[in-house]
Short mmCIF file of all heavy atoms in Angstrom, two decimals:
data_model
loop_
_atom_site.label_atom_id
_atom_site.label_comp_id
_atom_site.label_asym_id
_atom_site.label_seq_id
_atom_site.Cartn_x
_atom_site.Cartn_y
_atom_site.Cartn_z
N THR A 1 14.06 74.39 19.20
CA THR A 1 14.39 75.82 19.15
C THR A 1 13.77 76.44 17.91
O THR A 1 13.15 75.77 17.09
CB THR A 1 15.91 76.02 19.14
OG1 THR A 1 16.45 75.43 17.95
CG2 THR A 1 16.56 75.40 20.36
N ASP A 2 13.99 77.76 17.78
CA ASP A 2 13.42 78.50 16.65
C ASP A 2 14.37 78.58 15.47
O ASP A 2 14.07 79.24 14.48
CB ASP A 2 13.02 79.90 17.10
CG ASP A 2 14.20 80.67 17.68
OD1 ASP A 2 15.30 80.11 17.76
OD2 ASP A 2 14.01 81.85 18.04
N GLY A 3 15.52 77.97 15.55
CA GLY A 3 16.45 77.98 14.43
C GLY A 3 17.35 79.19 14.36
O GLY A 3 18.06 79.39 13.37
N ALA A 4 17.36 80.02 15.39
CA ALA A 4 18.24 81.19 15.41
C ALA A 4 19.69 80.75 15.51
O ALA A 4 20.00 79.67 16.01
CB ALA A 4 17.88 82.11 16.57
N ARG A 5 20.61 81.63 15.06
CA ARG A 5 22.02 81.28 15.06
C ARG A 5 22.54 81.02 16.48
O ARG A 5 23.38 80.14 16.69
CB ARG A 5 22.83 82.41 14.41
CG ARG A 5 24.32 82.14 14.30
CD ARG A 5 24.60 80.91 13.45
NE ARG A 5 24.10 81.09 12.10
CZ ARG A 5 24.80 81.68 11.11
NH1 ARG A 5 26.02 82.12 11.37
NH2 ARG A 5 24.28 81.80 9.92
N ALA A 6 22.03 81.77 17.45
CA ALA A 6 22.48 81.56 18.83
C ALA A 6 22.07 80.19 19.35
O ALA A 6 22.72 79.64 20.24
CB ALA A 6 21.91 82.65 19.74
N MET A 7 21.00 79.64 18.79
CA MET A 7 20.53 78.33 19.22
C MET A 7 21.20 77.19 18.47
O MET A 7 21.62 76.19 19.04
CB MET A 7 19.00 78.24 19.04
CG MET A 7 18.22 79.21 19.89
SD MET A 7 18.27 78.75 21.63
CE MET A 7 17.11 79.95 22.30
N THR A 8 21.31 77.33 17.14
CA THR A 8 21.73 76.21 16.29
C THR A 8 23.16 76.33 15.78
O THR A 8 23.55 75.56 14.90
CB THR A 8 20.78 76.10 15.09
OG1 THR A 8 20.82 77.32 14.33
CG2 THR A 8 19.36 75.84 15.55
N GLY A 9 23.94 77.27 16.28
CA GLY A 9 25.32 77.40 15.82
C GLY A 9 26.11 76.12 16.01
O GLY A 9 25.99 75.44 17.03
N ALA A 10 26.92 75.76 15.01
CA ALA A 10 27.62 74.48 15.05
C ALA A 10 28.67 74.41 16.15
O ALA A 10 28.95 73.34 16.69
CB ALA A 10 28.29 74.21 13.70
N THR A 11 29.25 75.55 16.52
CA THR A 11 30.33 75.55 17.52
C THR A 11 29.89 76.14 18.85
O THR A 11 30.03 75.51 19.89
CB THR A 11 31.53 76.33 16.99
OG1 THR A 11 31.94 75.78 15.74
CG2 THR A 11 32.68 76.27 17.98
N ALA A 12 29.37 77.37 18.81
CA ALA A 12 29.02 78.08 20.04
C ALA A 12 27.52 78.15 20.27
O ALA A 12 27.07 78.88 21.15
CB ALA A 12 29.60 79.49 20.02
N GLY A 13 26.72 77.42 19.48
CA GLY A 13 25.28 77.45 19.67
C GLY A 13 24.86 76.71 20.94
O GLY A 13 25.58 75.86 21.47
N ALA A 14 23.68 77.06 21.43
CA ALA A 14 23.21 76.44 22.67
C ALA A 14 23.04 74.93 22.51
O ALA A 14 23.37 74.16 23.41
CB ALA A 14 21.89 77.08 23.10
N ILE A 15 22.54 74.49 21.35
CA ILE A 15 22.33 73.05 21.13
C ILE A 15 23.67 72.32 21.08
O ILE A 15 23.80 71.21 21.61
CB ILE A 15 21.54 72.83 19.83
CG1 ILE A 15 20.11 73.37 20.00
CG2 ILE A 15 21.51 71.36 19.47
CD1 ILE A 15 19.25 73.20 18.78
N ALA A 16 24.68 72.93 20.46
CA ALA A 16 26.00 72.30 20.42
C ALA A 16 26.56 72.12 21.82
O ALA A 16 27.16 71.08 22.13
CB ALA A 16 26.95 73.14 19.57
N LYS A 17 26.36 73.10 22.68
CA LYS A 17 26.83 72.99 24.07
C LYS A 17 26.06 71.92 24.82
O LYS A 17 26.62 71.20 25.66
CB LYS A 17 26.69 74.35 24.77
CG LYS A 17 27.53 75.46 24.18
CD LYS A 17 29.01 75.18 24.35
CE LYS A 17 29.85 76.33 23.81
NZ LYS A 17 31.30 76.06 23.95
N ILE A 18 24.76 71.81 24.54
CA ILE A 18 23.95 70.79 25.21
C ILE A 18 24.40 69.40 24.80
O ILE A 18 24.49 68.49 25.62
CB ILE A 18 22.46 71.00 24.89
CG1 ILE A 18 21.96 72.29 25.56
CG2 ILE A 18 21.63 69.82 25.36
CD1 ILE A 18 20.55 72.67 25.17
N LYS A 19 24.70 69.22 23.51
CA LYS A 19 25.14 67.90 23.03
C LYS A 19 26.51 67.51 23.59
O LYS A 19 26.84 66.33 23.64
CB LYS A 19 25.15 67.89 21.51
CG LYS A 19 23.75 67.91 20.90
CD LYS A 19 23.79 67.81 19.39
CE LYS A 19 22.37 67.77 18.82
NZ LYS A 19 22.35 67.66 17.35
N GLU A 20 27.29 68.51 23.97
CA GLU A 20 28.55 68.18 24.64
C GLU A 20 28.30 67.58 26.02
O GLU A 20 29.08 66.76 26.50
CB GLU A 20 29.41 69.45 24.79
CG GLU A 20 29.93 69.99 23.46
CD GLU A 20 30.73 71.26 23.65
OE1 GLU A 20 30.88 71.69 24.83
OE2 GLU A 20 31.18 71.84 22.65
N LYS A 21 27.20 67.98 26.65
CA LYS A 21 26.83 67.43 27.95
C LYS A 21 26.17 66.06 27.82
O LYS A 21 26.35 65.19 28.66
CB LYS A 21 25.88 68.39 28.66
CG LYS A 21 26.51 69.67 29.16
CD LYS A 21 27.30 69.43 30.43
CE LYS A 21 27.81 70.71 31.04
NZ LYS A 21 28.52 70.49 32.32
N SER A 22 25.36 65.90 26.77
CA SER A 22 24.64 64.65 26.57
C SER A 22 24.63 64.31 25.09
O SER A 22 23.98 64.99 24.29
CB SER A 22 23.21 64.76 27.11
OG SER A 22 22.47 63.60 26.83
N ASN A 23 25.35 63.26 24.71
CA ASN A 23 25.45 62.88 23.29
C ASN A 23 24.14 62.35 22.74
O ASN A 23 23.90 62.38 21.53
CB ASN A 23 26.54 61.82 23.12
CG ASN A 23 27.93 62.37 23.44
OD1 ASN A 23 28.18 63.56 23.23
ND2 ASN A 23 28.80 61.52 23.96
N GLU A 24 23.26 61.84 23.61
CA GLU A 24 22.01 61.24 23.16
C GLU A 24 20.91 62.27 22.91
O GLU A 24 19.85 61.92 22.41
CB GLU A 24 21.53 60.22 24.19
CG GLU A 24 22.50 59.06 24.39
CD GLU A 24 22.00 58.08 25.42
OE1 GLU A 24 20.92 58.34 26.01
OE2 GLU A 24 22.66 57.04 25.62
N THR A 25 21.15 63.52 23.25
CA THR A 25 20.15 64.57 23.06
C THR A 25 20.04 64.95 21.59
O THR A 25 21.05 65.22 20.94
CB THR A 25 20.49 65.81 23.89
OG1 THR A 25 20.60 65.45 25.27
CG2 THR A 25 19.42 66.87 23.74
N THR A 26 18.84 64.96 21.05
CA THR A 26 18.60 65.38 19.67
C THR A 26 18.03 66.79 19.66
O THR A 26 17.65 67.34 20.69
CB THR A 26 17.62 64.42 18.98
OG1 THR A 26 16.37 64.42 19.70
CG2 THR A 26 18.18 63.01 18.96
N SER A 27 17.94 67.38 18.46
CA SER A 27 17.41 68.74 18.31
C SER A 27 16.35 68.75 17.21
O SER A 27 16.40 67.95 16.28
CB SER A 27 18.53 69.73 17.97
OG SER A 27 19.17 69.36 16.75
N SER A 28 15.41 69.67 17.32
CA SER A 28 14.33 69.80 16.34
C SER A 28 13.98 71.26 16.19
O SER A 28 14.34 72.11 17.02
CB SER A 28 13.10 68.99 16.75
OG SER A 28 12.64 69.40 18.03
N HIS A 29 13.26 71.56 15.10
CA HIS A 29 12.88 72.93 14.79
C HIS A 29 11.44 73.15 15.24
O HIS A 29 10.56 72.33 14.99
CB HIS A 29 13.01 73.20 13.30
CG HIS A 29 13.05 74.67 12.95
ND1 HIS A 29 11.95 75.49 13.04
CD2 HIS A 29 14.07 75.45 12.53
CE1 HIS A 29 12.28 76.70 12.68
NE2 HIS A 29 13.57 76.71 12.36
N CYS A 30 11.19 74.28 15.88
CA CYS A 30 9.85 74.60 16.38
C CYS A 30 8.85 74.65 15.23
O CYS A 30 9.09 75.26 14.20
CB CYS A 30 9.87 75.93 17.12
SG CYS A 30 8.26 76.49 17.69
N ILE A 31 7.68 74.02 15.40
CA ILE A 31 6.68 73.94 14.34
C ILE A 31 6.13 75.32 14.01
O ILE A 31 5.78 75.60 12.85
CB ILE A 31 5.54 72.97 14.75
CG1 ILE A 31 4.57 72.77 13.59
CG2 ILE A 31 4.84 73.46 15.99
CD1 ILE A 31 5.15 72.13 12.39
N LEU A 32 6.03 76.20 15.01
CA LEU A 32 5.51 77.54 14.73
C LEU A 32 6.45 78.32 13.83
O LEU A 32 6.01 79.03 12.93
CB LEU A 32 5.27 78.29 16.04
CG LEU A 32 4.19 77.73 16.96
CD1 LEU A 32 4.06 78.60 18.19
CD2 LEU A 32 2.86 77.65 16.24
#
């Protein structure tokens, strides 16, 4: 993702919701 709050929020961020579905999923910051 681009590091926006909607993406990386610890509680309601999209990545946090994705990790609730799959614990093995990791996250990274877009190189651009």
